[in-house]
Amino acid sequence: MVKKYDKVKNTWDVLGRLPVRADSSNGWGLAFKACGDALLVVGGQRGPEGEAIVLNSWCPKSGVNNGTLGWKVLGAKEHVGVFVYNCAVMGC
């Protein structure tokens, strides 16, 4: 889940779901990066065509629509498994 911290209330508010499952590797195998006004999430996903590592982007300014975040797929690498072993986003 994607959550936002409210300093005034000292609480975490749930905004929506991540674009990839975080429980497929016990929470490991995901990478996050703030990039300008967007949040990048790199993670694996399984589908009918096989496994892939997918780069997703979401801008908080775009808001939340009925508990759904408008994730955009920026790129994918197919047939490489679903675990992100090492990730470094060098620039945005």
Side-chain angles (χ1 to χ4, degrees):
M1 300 301 286
V2 176
K3 297 180 180 184
K4 177 178 79 170
Y5 183 68
D6 185 328
K7 291 180 186 178
V8 175
K9 297 178 188 175
N10 192 28
T11 59
W12 287 93
D13 300 321
V14 174
L15 299 179
R17 294 193 170 276
L18 288 167
V20 295
R21 292 180 56 120
D23 63 349
S24 62
S25 297
N26 297 320
W28 293 94
L30 291 175
F32 299 89
K33 169 77 175 167
C35 186
D37 62 353
L39 173 64
L40 300 180
V41 176
V42 182
Q45 72 183 44
R46 291 181 174 93
E49 293 83 35
E51 300 175 335
I53 300 294
V54 183
L55 174 62
N56 296 277
S57 172
W58 174 67
C59 181
K61 290 181 182 177
S62 66
V64 179
N65 186 12
N66 294 326
T68 303
L69 307 179
W71 292 101
K72 295 179 184 175
V73 175
L74 301 179
K77 180 75 172 173
E78 297 180 350
H79 310 294
V80 293
V82 296
F83 192 83
V84 178
Y85 290 95
N86 196 353
C87 180
V89 178
M90 301 305 287
C92 297

